[in-house]
Amino acid sequence: MFFGRELIKNKIEFSSLKSEEELNIAYGADNKFILGAGVSIESVIINNENKKLKFHLFTDDISSENIEKISQICKKYETAIDIYNVNAELIRTLPNNKAWNHAIYFRLMIADYFCGKVKKILYLDSDVFCNYGC
């Protein structure tokens, strides 16, 4: 584990799945991009109605309003969404700029966290929109 055992400060779990998930999908976003992640999550769900999906959202900053919105997505679509509040102390010291802040490093934390825990996980950026059969 590159980021160490102190990677996750806490975890919020929302689930209305009635059976085991088939596919794990992860996002990394700060509070400014949670809305985009939510739109992406909904687009993936809508275009994969026959799949049991579990979403993992890594962030170091999420408002209670956005937590409630994520909870509503979970309930509406009978899916599972886990929110991981990460310790971003280390990645805040890594290079960034106005276009790319420390949140770009969440994808590395995701790979590190799930190594050996799941067989595979799909990482999507928060601006990915799924549109099947267009």
Side-chain angles (χ1 to χ4, degrees):
M1 248 186 184
F2 177 77
F3 290 98
R5 298 187 189 276
E6 308 302 318
L7 174 64
I8 306 299
K9 290 181 181 179
N10 61 15
K11 180 173 148 183
I12 303 168
E13 299 178 74
F14 299 109
S15 181
S16 19
L17 277 177
K18 299 198 178 11
S19 63
E20 197 68 24
E21 72 275 358
E22 296 175 7
L23 178 61
N24 288 285
I25 301 173
Y27 293 86
D30 60 16
N31 197 54
K32 293 180 283 189
F33 285 92
I34 297 294
L35 176 63
V39 170
S40 182
I41 288 170
E42 285 199 74
S43 74
V44 170
I45 293 168
I46 290 167
N47 288 283
N48 292 280
E49 293 177 3
N50 59 337
K51 298 249 191 276
K52 299 291 182 193
L53 305 169
K54 182 166 186 176
F55 296 91
H56 306 271
L57 180 57
F58 283 66
T59 185
D60 67 331
D61 177 30
I62 186 168
S63 67
S64 55
E65 180 182 326
N66 280 335
I67 290 172
E68 180 58 30
K69 288 177 183 177
I70 295 298
S71 170
Q72 293 304 315
I73 292 171
C74 181
K75 290 174 188 169
K76 180 178 179 180
Y77 295 104
E78 294 183 357
T79 193
I81 304 172
D82 291 348
I83 301 171
Y84 302 82
N85 183 9
V86 302
N87 181 354
E89 192 174 310
L90 173 65
I91 62 171
R92 286 184 182 275
T93 66
L94 298 173
N96 62 65
N97 58 42
K98 287 184 180 181
W100 303 102
N101 71 9
H102 69 281
I104 65 169
Y105 297 105
F106 289 157
R107 63 194 73 196
L108 300 175
M109 293 177 131
I110 291 166
D112 194 46
Y113 180 78
F114 284 107
C115 182
K117 292 181 181 172
V118 296
K119 287 185 181 182
K120 55 186 166 181
I121 188 158
L122 174 65
Y123 172 82
L124 296 176
D125 280 334
S126 296
D127 60 355
V128 170
F129 184 82
C130 179
N131 187 6
Y132 181 74
C134 183

